[in-house]
Amino acid sequence: MDAFIVLFQQTLIFTIPLLLVALGGMISEKSGITNVGLEGMMIMGAAAGIGFIHAFGDRWSGQLFFIVAILIAAIVGGILSLVHAYAAITIGANQTISGTALNLFAPAFVIFMAEALLGERKVNFVDSFVVDSVPGLVSIPFIGPVFFKNSYLTTIIALAILCVVIFVLSKTKTGLRLGACGEHPQAAASVGINVKKYRYIAVIISGMLSGIGGIAFVIPTSTSFNGTVSGYGFLALALVIFGKWKPLNIFAGAAFFGFLKALSSVYSSLPFFGDIQLPAEFYRLMPYLVTLIVLTISSKKSEAPKALGIPYAGEGE
Amino acid sequence: MHKFPNKFIFIFCGVIIFSLLITGKGITAGRRKTDRLGADISLCTTVAGVFDRSYNEGTWKAMVDINRKYPDTTVNYYTPKEERESDLYSILEIAAKGDPKIIIATSINFAKPIGIVQHKNPEINYLVVDAVPSDENGNDDIAKNTLAISFSEHESGFLAGYAAVKDGYRDLGFVGGMASPAVKRFGYGFLYGANEAAKDLGLKKGAVSVKYTYSGTFSPSPEIMSLATSWYNGGTEVIFAAAGSGGNSVIKAAEQCGKKFIGVDTDMSRESEVVITSALKDIYSVIDQVITDYKEGNFKGGIRRNFSAKDHGVGLPMETSRFRTFDKAQYDEVFNRVVNGEFEMNTQAETPEEIKVENINVKVF
């Protein structure tokens, strides 16, 4: 039983950053802007947050400090996304190019800054943010140890953001207007919606969520940050398609993928999987293989926003 | 739309030039006391750079101290942006343009690039650590001007495994980065060491068990962290990770689970309190020794040189280790037995299953 609790705990470690970043990607794409730069925004966000933790970690610790670091990660992710937003919305440039530029820029910039400021190519940090156990809640069978033992605040934040996104997109005027901007911007504009404003907001939110996703990715899994998030930004991009631009589907997809990733890492200590002698490569291949198959089967009918990736020039231009 | 293209081109050129400038900084030349572009001794590192708190840093420290000892001998280093053979080849070529006397390269990935440049620049001496230069077909090819250095990693791993079991740990783990010859030697030695300690302590078979796997990467990753967490939760007390900075993810898991960690290559004790010891390869003294030989005119190329416990090339850093009972006297005893060649180890085995260890249980994943 313990081994299975570890399996689900580890599932969260993979799922939470993917969920955050994929939600960001989805919001941006809902408004009609492809955001290939998620990976770059994750890296910059993580770098800013971890740089902050590195700088003040010897003086401060605890959850409040973590929240400030998360906010800094979000703000820096948001600022970086402005570059993409300006290129894609104001200038009407090719959206793939500016996203790719960010992906090239971010890791190089982070390593450069780390070497210039700290003299090494990674940023070490002290992790004082793990919550050993939440009193009361931890005694709930199964759910308790999975969510409330050795957990991070980012888990709760991510789930809260998921709820907010679901609510805003389906129940509020703002959410429906955002969707309209991605489906048919001209029609949206004809009824007085400021398409460019909505698109700007969507891209900035995607940058902020990516920044949070970046720090949620690095903090639980290492003791240093070396300017990479191992391609999780691209995985998140795939998850947006996998989840058909619907937040709950994306959550399910992230959890499913996270579960397979966790299984491929911890199978050796599980009762059944550890005993059947399959090569380790098989388990490592599984998440990607299953994703490919599911994508092939499910993508017959694409539900992408109709105006996705098409620059909108606005009225009278 | 149409009134924007100029601005658009301007901004994108700006962004791209800026990022190129910054990535271009990936090739760093740290010059000391010299006006010319190159130096007498050039180091070509792996992507981690010279301040990786590990292998490259040890090499660079040795070079800086050489420069202190012989101020007329200048040193510098070059760091590639990525670790593809083409990148490594190009930094070797850049280093050669600086007209150095010795070029040092420290990674198995340099095998083929060095195989090419050693013939192209016969006037430069190459010192390649952990790799044997090879030709296009992968056959060993050490030119007259090249010295290939290897370590007896299995002896270092042996000492780590022996010390861990002697110190009271019974449930051990080994996480290698990839199944490269050096990583395998570490792992096999670890098994032999644990086995020998179990025999010395008169433990029953099954009292000591070792989990053994390769993670597939040398960088920190959630995969390694999850793997280590599951092992620690399953009862593993200490994990020996020969996985470069992937070890940081194992340290993370050890910190969360309140378990222990054994480092690799260099003394990793300052990374975390959970590091009980490190299986060293003393790159510092090896580089120092070889360059001093060169200075005295004794540099001999065209051969492999192996550094073992006998040459003090491998060992454990007992001053900074955090053992419970295992002390210097016990260490010296087993160290001398290793030096005397008391333990026969098969380092050529393809898989860990071929390692014959009767006194412990080994489970390979």
Side-chain angles (χ1 to χ4, degrees):
Chain A
M1 194 59 204
D2 275 356
F4 282 102
I5 286 172
V6 171
L7 172 64
F8 284 101
Q9 270 182 349
Q10 298 307 314
T11 301
L12 282 181
I13 285 186
F14 292 99
T15 304
I16 293 304
L18 277 178
L19 172 66
L20 283 164
V21 181
L23 282 178
M26 183 204 72
I27 291 171
S28 169
E29 299 209 343
K30 275 257 175 202
S31 79
I33 305 292
T34 314
N35 194 346
V36 190
L38 293 173
E39 176 104 351
M41 296 172 195
M42 272 180 92
I43 291 172
M44 283 298 263
I50 283 162
F52 174 71
I53 292 169
H54 175 90
F56 297 100
D58 47 350
R59 261 167 287 174
W60 298 330
S61 64
Q63 299 305 328
L64 197 65
F65 182 40
F66 192 27
I67 291 172
V68 177
I70 291 172
L71 283 178
I72 288 176
I75 290 166
V76 170
I79 290 172
L80 191 67
S81 73
L82 276 175
V83 177
H84 181 56
Y86 182 72
I89 303 165
T90 308
I91 304 180
N94 183 315
Q95 299 171 3
T96 316
I97 293 178
S98 59
T100 308
L102 292 184
N103 288 339
L104 291 174
F105 168 78
F109 180 74
V110 169
I111 301 251
F112 172 68
M113 289 307 284
E115 196 161 331
L117 296 175
L118 306 171
E120 52 186 345
R121 294 187 142 215
K122 58 180 185 178
V123 188
N124 283 47
F125 61 89
V126 179
D127 171 13
S128 55
F129 317 121
V130 62
V131 182
D132 293 337
S133 70
V134 181
L137 292 171
V138 78
S139 51
I140 305 170
F142 195 71
I143 292 176
V146 170
F147 282 93
F148 301 111
K149 203 168 167 237
N150 284 341
S151 63
Y152 286 87
L153 200 60
T154 43
T155 306
I156 306 299
I157 292 177
L159 294 177
I161 288 175
L162 173 68
C163 295
V164 171
V165 168
I166 291 173
F167 177 76
V168 171
L169 281 187
S170 58
K171 298 275 185 261
T172 66
K173 236 189 317 188
T174 320
L176 296 173
R177 283 179 176 171
L178 187 77
C181 293
E183 291 294 338
H184 203 307
Q186 285 80 6
S190 73
V191 292
I193 296 174
N194 187 341
V195 175
K196 288 189 173 179
K197 189 180 95 186
Y198 272 91
R199 288 189 165 183
Y200 255 99
I201 292 171
V203 173
I204 291 169
I205 290 176
S206 83
M208 293 176 77
L209 291 183
S210 302
I212 302 176
I215 199 167
F217 175 84
V218 177
I219 295 274
T221 56
S222 184
T223 56
S224 70
F225 178 58
N226 58 356
T228 170
V229 291
S230 317
Y232 271 62
F234 294 107
L235 279 177
L237 206 57
L239 268 178
V240 176
I241 304 166
F242 190 93
K244 297 192 170 182
W245 292 268
K246 292 192 181 74
L248 265 182
N249 288 6
I250 286 174
F251 176 53
F256 176 64
F257 188 81
F259 177 77
L260 289 177
K261 281 299 267 186
L263 185 64
S264 73
S265 302
V266 311
Y267 75 93
S268 53
S269 52
L270 292 174
F272 170 69
F273 296 99
D275 295 332
I276 46 173
Q277 291 286 323
L278 283 171
E281 287 76 13
F282 173 79
Y283 289 98
R284 278 180 213 143
L285 184 69
M286 273 268 282
Y288 302 95
L289 195 66
V290 173
T291 310
L292 261 181
I293 293 169
V294 175
L295 267 182
T296 317
I297 295 170
S298 67
S299 67
K300 269 186 186 153
K301 191 166 151 279
S302 171
E303 290 168 35
K306 298 234 163 31
L308 181 59
I310 303 166
Y312 171 68
E315 294 303 303
E317 285 188 49
Chain B
M1 269 298 280
H2 293 292
K3 57 187 176 188
F4 287 118
N6 286 334
K7 215 166 160 192
F8 152 69
I9 289 167
F10 173 73
I11 286 185
F12 275 94
C13 288
V15 167
I16 285 163
I17 288 169
F18 189 44
S19 50
L20 279 180
L21 274 177
I22 276 166
T23 45
K25 279 294 284 186
I27 298 164
T28 325
R31 253 173 310 172
R32 297 179 70 84
K33 295 174 189 164
T34 171
D35 292 329
R36 74 167 205 264
L37 195 65
D40 296 332
I41 308 171
S42 291
L43 167 66
C44 293
T45 70
T46 55
V47 277
V50 288
F51 301 109
D52 61 350
R53 301 192 180 199
S54 181
Y55 222 58
N56 293 315
E57 189 165 328
T59 313
W60 178 239
K61 256 193 205 151
M63 290 167 64
V64 170
D65 286 356
I66 290 280
N67 175 259
R68 290 220 180 94
K69 213 161 38 171
Y70 308 100
D72 57 323
T73 305
T74 52
V75 297
N76 72 350
Y77 66 86
Y78 302 87
T79 302
K81 197 164 89 49
E82 280 178 62
E83 206 141 327
R84 289 185 301 241
E85 272 169 1
S86 54
D87 295 302
L88 300 181
Y89 175 77
S90 59
I91 65 157
L92 283 170
E93 281 297 76
I94 292 167
K97 287 215 171 72
D99 197 19
K101 301 201 171 62
I102 304 180
I103 291 180
I104 305 174
T106 54
S107 156
I108 187 164
N109 297 336
F110 277 106
K112 271 189 192 162
I114 292 267
I116 302 168
V117 293
Q118 63 182 1
H119 296 299
K120 230 173 133 185
N121 309 310
E123 71 289 352
I124 300 172
N125 288 310
Y126 287 93
L127 186 64
V128 49
V129 184
D130 278 354
V132 179
S134 61
D135 58 20
E136 283 151 37
N137 306 321
N139 300 320
D140 292 357
D141 171 23
I142 308 177
K144 278 270 167 289
N145 52 328
T146 303
L147 174 60
I149 288 176
S150 59
F151 287 89
S152 299
E153 286 93 353
H154 50 283
E155 296 182 348
S156 203
F158 181 96
L159 292 166
Y162 186 90
V165 172
K166 269 273 179 164
D167 200 38
Y169 296 99
R170 294 289 174 264
D171 202 335
L172 320 178
F174 172 80
V175 178
M178 288 173 199
S180 68
V183 169
K184 279 193 207 164
R185 284 197 290 272
F186 269 124
Y188 298 166
F190 190 65
L191 297 179
Y192 281 118
N195 186 51
E196 202 57 40
K199 199 162 94 189
D200 281 5
L201 290 169
L203 298 171
K204 269 187 297 194
K205 178 170 170 67
V208 174
S209 62
V210 184
K211 290 194 173 84
Y212 190 110
T213 197
Y214 300 109
S215 68
T217 167
F218 287 101
S219 332
S221 77
E223 288 84 357
I224 299 185
M225 148 86 185
S226 289
L227 171 88
T229 306
S230 72
W231 281 11
Y232 282 132
N233 272 295
T236 303
E237 296 160 291
V238 57
I239 293 178
F240 172 36
S245 58
N248 281 95
S249 289
V250 180
I251 292 177
K252 183 82 189 190
E255 283 176 351
Q256 281 190 7
C257 303
K259 300 292 177 76
K260 301 296 178 193
F261 173 83
I262 296 174
V264 77
D265 289 349
T266 53
D267 184 358
M268 290 172 80
S269 58
R270 61 191 166 127
E271 292 283 320
S272 167
E273 283 295 307
V274 299
V275 181
I276 55 169
T277 189
S278 307
L280 292 187
K281 289 154 81 170
D282 195 353
I283 187 84
Y284 180 94
S285 59
V286 166
I287 295 288
D288 184 66
Q289 209 175 317
V290 172
I291 296 181
T292 309
D293 282 356
Y294 173 83
K295 288 255 124 201
E296 289 162 0
N298 298 329
F299 183 87
K300 237 178 100 192
I303 51 163
R304 296 181 200 198
R305 253 179 97 179
N306 186 57
F307 287 85
S308 61
K310 199 188 277 172
D311 319 288
H312 288 269
V314 297
L316 303 180
M318 286 308 285
E319 300 79 38
T320 54
S321 293
R322 300 184 179 94
F323 289 118
R324 298 178 287 208
T325 57
F326 188 75
D327 58 19
K328 188 84 172 71
Q330 284 172 299
Y331 173 72
D332 288 341
E333 191 219 324
V334 66
F335 187 83
N336 287 330
R337 287 167 71 193
V338 171
V339 170
N340 295 335
E342 249 182 66
F343 312 110
E344 223 172 88
M345 294 185 240
N346 171 12
T347 56
Q348 302 300 319
E350 280 294 315
T351 64
E353 283 96 342
E354 294 170 34
I355 303 298
K356 287 200 178 56
V357 280
E358 305 85 22
N359 304 305
I360 58 172
N361 281 339
V362 179
K363 206 159 181 211
V364 182
F365 296 105

